[in-house]
Amino acid sequence: MRLIKLYTACICLSLGMSSCADFLEEENRSNINAQEYFVEKDGFESLVNAAYASLRTVWKNEPWLFCLGVDIYTRGESELISGSYGNRDVYSRELNEYGSLKADNEFVGNFYSNVYYAIQTCNSAISKSESVVGLSENVRKQRVAELRFLRAYYYYLLVEQFGRIAIVTDEIETPMLSFPQKSEQEVYKFILDELDTIDDNILPEVQSDYGRITQGAVKHLQALVYLTRGYKDFASSDDFSKAAALCDEIINGTTYELQPTFADVFKTGNEKNNEIIFSVQYDASSLGGQYNGNGQQNLFGFELWTKVVSGFEQGNTTYGWKKNQFMCTPFLFSLFDTSIDSRYDATFKSEFYATVADPSIGLKVGDLRVYFPKYDQTFTDADKAELLTEHPNAIVVTKDRWKQDIENVGGTGMCPMVWKFYDPNATWPSNNTNYTSTKDIFLFRLADTYLMAAEAYYQAGEPDLAAKRLTTVRQRAAIPGHKDEMVVTSSDVNIDFILDERARELVGEYKRWMDLKRTGKLIERTLAHNNLAARENKMDEHILVRPIPQSGKLPILGYPLLDGRQSAPV
C-alpha cells in the first residue's frame, strides 16, 4: 500500500499553513491510502504545500552549481566533517576549475535528483487535481497554476544546467527504465507553453498566504526565459522585446516597489517586503526542528577561530559560523566605488571585534581584531600605523592578501565576509551541514527585474531605456548626496556593464553562473578573474552544460515512497 507518509517530510516543511505536529497528529494514519487521501481537499492542499517545500530541498544547502566556476566567486577551503573532506574538495574543484568534471560528481547528481523529485511532486499534485473532492473550482485552478509555475521554474533550472533533458509531466507510479531526452529548444517551448496556460485572472497579484505564486512571479519567470532564449541559436526575433515588456509590466504595476535603501531589503524581520516577488519560505514556525533552516548566511566567509590566532571562539553567536567553501574574488570587491555606492558596506563586513580576551597580548573583548581596508581606497603605511596606534591588536588584511591559503596560492584565506544575509536569530549549527537561518531566500526581487529589463532593452537595441532601468537601481543604492553620480547614460551600457551591475546588486543570491552562461561571458570572465580556474585553464564550450549524472536515469521518479522507502527505477 502506498502510505500517506510518502510526503510527510515535504509537508512538514511546507508553507506553514498548518504545523507539522498538527499534520502528523491528525492525518498520518497508516490505514489511509495515498490515492484516497490526496484527492480529499486537505490531502490535496498538503500535496501542493509539499511542492512548495521542494524549493527548500533544492536551495537549502550550498549553491555549488550556481556560485563556483565564475568571475566573482572562486573555490575556497573545503570543509572537514568528522575529519574528512568526503570528496567535497574534489567535487568543488571539478565545478570551479572544470578540468575534470565527471558525471559522478555528487553535487551535480544531488541537484539533478532533487529537482526531478520536485518536478514529480508537482506532477503528482497536478494529476490528482482533477479528482479532488470539496475544493472550489477557482481554488483548484489557482493551485494548478501554482504547480505549473513551479514545474516550469524547475525545468528552466535543469535545461540551463544540463542542456538536453527529459520532460516528464505524468505522475509516475511504477518504475521506468528511461525517458527520452528533449532538445533545449523543445524544453524552452514547453516552459513557455506551461507559463502561457496561467491566465492573469487565475492567480492574484497579491496572495493572502504569503509565499504563494503571484502574477508577478509568473511574469518575472516568463521574462527570464525569454531573455535567456534570446541568446540561443533557436531564439525568436522578439524574445528580447517580450522580456523587456514583461519586466515593465511588473515595474509599472502597483504591487511591487523598491525598498528605500538597499540595506532595507535584507533587514531582519523585513523578509515580506514589497520588493520580493518570489522567495523560499523559512518562517521558523513552519520548520520541523531546530536545524532545518538554510545556509545562505553561512556562505562566503571564513572561520574566525581557525584563521585568527586568538580573539574568537568556536560557537560564538556574535558572528556565527561562516564557511570558506566559496570565496569572493578580488574582482568582485573592485567593482564597487565605496565613495558613492552604499552596497559595499551593506553587503560586506570588514571589521571584526574580539569575542574572547587574550591577556597575553592585552586583547580585551570588544577590541578591534581583524580589519579589511576598503578595496578601492588607498591604505598607506601611515594609515596602518594610525589604525594600530588606536587598535594595537588589530590584524590588518590588505587586498593583496584576499586570496586562498590553500594549494600554494599564498593568501590568507580571508576577505570581507558577505554579511547582508546575517540572521541574528540563527542558532549555532549542530554540524557542518545542518543550517539554522530562518530568513527567506529571495529568488526573484524587483531590483533584479529592473536589471533584466535593462539587459533586454540593450539587446533589443534600446540603450536609452536600458540606462534608465540601470539608473533606478543604482540611485536607490547611492550614498546620500551622491545620486547624480550613479546616473547611467546610454553610452555607458554594454553587456559587461550590466553584468558588473548585477554583481554589485546580487552578491550571494545564487544567480552568477546562470547570468554568465546566458550572456555568453562565462568562459571569458571566469578565466580573467577566477584565479584557480585560470591556473587550470581548461574552460571551453563543453563546460556550458553539466554532465548528466552517471546512471542517466531519473532516480527520483517512481511514486516516491513505498512503505517509507523511495521507489527508484532500476
Side-chain angles (χ1 to χ4, degrees):
M1 184 194 310
R2 296 186 178 90
L3 306 181
I4 65 166
K5 58 186 176 182
L6 150 66
Y7 284 112
T8 296
C10 285
I11 293 168
C12 290
L13 293 176
S14 60
L15 291 175
M17 297 165 200
S18 60
S19 73
C20 177
D22 288 345
F23 174 77
L24 291 173
E25 178 182 349
E26 296 172 9
E27 305 295 349
N28 190 15
R29 298 171 302 203
S30 61
N31 63 335
I32 300 179
N33 185 286
Q35 296 290 358
E36 299 172 358
Y37 178 69
F38 289 124
V39 295
E40 296 175 3
K41 177 183 175 181
D42 290 344
F44 176 73
E45 290 283 20
S46 295
L47 191 52
V48 174
N49 289 356
Y52 276 99
S54 64
L55 291 164
R56 290 181 179 171
T57 304
V58 171
W59 289 115
K60 69 177 180 179
N61 291 326
E62 290 86 350
W64 303 107
L65 279 66
F66 298 86
C67 295
L68 284 179
V70 296
D71 56 346
I72 62 174
Y73 322 117
T74 185
R75 175 172 60 90
E77 182 179 6
S78 294
E79 290 294 323
L80 287 168
I81 299 179
S82 301
S84 170
Y85 288 125
N87 284 329
R88 277 175 294 283
D89 55 337
V90 175
Y91 298 147
S92 59
R93 181 182 292 111
E94 290 177 357
L95 287 167
N96 188 67
E97 281 103 291
Y98 297 97
S100 57
L101 181 57
K102 299 181 179 63
D104 62 352
N105 184 291
E106 186 176 310
F107 300 155
V108 175
N110 287 344
F111 176 78
Y112 182 83
S113 295
N114 287 340
V115 177
Y116 267 116
Y117 184 89
I119 287 170
Q120 173 61 357
T121 305
C122 295
N123 290 343
S124 297
I126 291 171
S127 173
K128 296 283 190 291
S129 66
E130 293 294 337
S131 306
V132 176
V133 177
L135 197 68
S136 73
E137 183 62 11
N138 285 341
V139 172
R140 187 194 69 80
K141 288 181 178 179
Q142 186 176 125
R143 297 294 180 263
V144 171
E146 295 167 22
L147 293 162
R148 288 188 182 279
F149 169 92
L150 291 170
R151 186 166 67 179
Y153 172 68
Y154 287 133
Y155 274 115
Y156 172 71
L157 296 180
L158 284 173
V159 72
E160 278 303 285
Q161 290 288 342
F162 296 100
R164 294 178 61 89
I165 56 172
I167 299 175
V168 183
T169 59
D170 295 330
E171 178 183 19
I172 308 301
E173 299 190 70
T174 56
M176 297 184 66
L177 293 176
S178 64
F179 297 86
Q181 290 184 345
K182 302 293 184 180
S183 68
E184 287 190 44
Q185 184 172 0
E186 291 173 300
V187 178
Y188 267 86
K189 183 180 184 304
F190 169 79
I191 294 169
L192 289 170
D193 287 347
E194 190 88 330
L195 295 173
D196 283 344
T197 66
I198 304 174
D199 188 273
D200 284 350
N201 296 323
I202 296 175
L203 291 177
E205 293 185 3
V206 178
Q207 289 273 15
S208 57
D209 292 322
Y210 186 85
R212 288 195 183 277
I213 307 306
T214 61
Q215 289 183 28
V218 175
K219 290 174 182 177
H220 186 105
L221 180 56
Q222 285 177 311
L224 179 58
V225 174
Y226 279 121
L227 179 63
T228 308
R229 193 176 72 170
Y231 291 92
K232 308 284 187 182
D233 57 10
F234 53 84
S236 296
S237 60
D238 59 352
D239 279 343
F240 290 127
S241 59
K242 283 184 175 179
L246 284 160
C247 288
D248 276 358
E249 284 186 39
I250 301 170
I251 291 167
N252 296 327
T254 59
T255 303
Y256 305 101
E257 61 181 355
L258 295 177
Q259 291 291 283
T261 70
F262 176 81
D264 287 338
V265 180
F266 304 96
K267 187 181 300 181
T268 299
N270 194 36
E271 288 85 3
K272 296 180 181 180
N273 67 71
N274 288 342
E275 185 165 330
I276 308 308
I277 299 172
F278 175 42
S279 60
V280 187
Q281 302 295 291
Y282 279 93
D283 182 86
S285 65
S286 71
L287 295 176
Q290 185 182 10
Y291 303 116
N292 286 328
N294 71 77
Q296 193 170 32
Q297 72 141 359
N298 303 95
L299 309 178
F300 314 106
F302 56 90
E303 294 178 344
L304 282 161
W305 66 92
T306 60
K307 300 296 184 184
V308 183
V309 174
S310 64
F312 305 98
E313 79 281 19
Q314 182 174 2
N316 87 78
T317 55
T318 302
Y319 299 112
W321 176 50
K322 302 296 182 284
K323 302 176 68 168
N324 195 225
Q325 187 72 66
F326 303 90
M327 189 169 187
C328 297
T329 63
F331 173 66
L332 173 59
F333 299 109
S334 76
L335 294 175
F336 293 85
D337 182 343
T338 61
S339 67
I340 63 175
D341 194 333
S342 70
R343 288 175 295 190
Y344 186 93
D345 285 333
T347 298
F348 303 109
K349 192 168 191 63
S350 301
E351 299 177 6
F352 297 86
Y353 295 83
T355 57
V356 174
D358 184 352
S360 69
I361 60 172
L363 180 69
K364 298 185 293 294
V365 172
D367 286 353
L368 180 63
R369 187 60 171 142
V370 181
Y371 178 73
F372 298 93
K374 287 185 168 63
Y375 190 95
D376 67 324
Q377 295 184 12
T378 301
F379 190 78
T380 64
D381 288 342
D383 293 327
K384 181 177 180 179
E386 182 180 353
L387 178 82
L388 292 177
T389 298
E390 185 176 354
H391 305 283
N393 287 307
I395 298 170
V396 178
V397 188
T398 51
K399 63 184 179 183
D400 57 303
R401 301 162 65 203
W402 297 2
K403 297 178 291 187
Q404 300 94 330
D405 57 352
I406 57 173
E407 301 175 19
N408 300 312
V409 172
T412 61
M414 298 188 292
C415 61
M417 293 190 193
V418 174
W419 206 255
K420 69 184 190 182
F421 308 115
Y422 175 66
D423 182 358
N425 300 313
T427 56
W428 190 266
S430 63
N431 59 44
N432 300 52
T433 56
N434 286 336
Y435 298 118
T436 63
S437 175
T438 56
K439 296 184 78 170
D440 296 342
I441 296 176
F442 302 149
L443 298 179
F444 299 166
R445 61 184 178 92
L446 188 60
D448 187 12
T449 313
Y450 272 95
L451 296 176
M452 286 165 49
E455 184 181 335
Y457 276 124
Y458 172 72
Q459 296 293 7
E462 298 188 70
D464 289 344
L465 289 174
K468 288 181 180 179
R469 301 297 178 272
L470 289 165
T471 294
T472 299
V473 173
R474 287 172 56 80
Q475 288 194 319
R476 190 270 294 272
I479 291 173
H482 293 279
K483 274 193 172 184
D484 290 346
E485 296 164 80
M486 297 289 269
V487 171
V488 177
T489 66
S490 60
S491 62
D492 296 323
V493 182
N494 57 47
I495 202 63
D496 285 306
F497 186 95
I498 291 168
L499 284 170
D500 290 351
E501 193 59 39
R502 289 186 66 81
R504 287 183 281 265
E505 181 70 25
L506 302 170
V507 172
E509 295 185 49
Y510 305 170
K511 297 180 184 293
R512 196 59 177 180
W513 194 89
M514 303 278 270
D515 287 348
L516 294 181
K517 179 189 174 178
R518 177 181 69 248
T519 55
K521 290 285 187 173
L522 179 61
I523 296 173
E524 173 192 332
R525 289 178 67 115
T526 302
L527 289 177
H529 304 297
N530 184 319
N531 60 345
L532 296 180
R535 185 173 70 178
E536 188 81 6
N537 196 23
K538 292 294 177 69
M539 296 182 72
D540 57 31
E541 294 297 316
H542 88 278
I543 62 91
L544 297 177
V545 292
R546 317 294 193 178
I548 296 290
Q550 202 166 34
S551 68
K553 301 174 184 177
L554 308 183
I556 34 54
L557 297 177
Y559 213 62
L561 298 176
L562 296 177
D563 293 333
R565 297 183 299 276
Q566 182 168 316
S567 172
V570 292

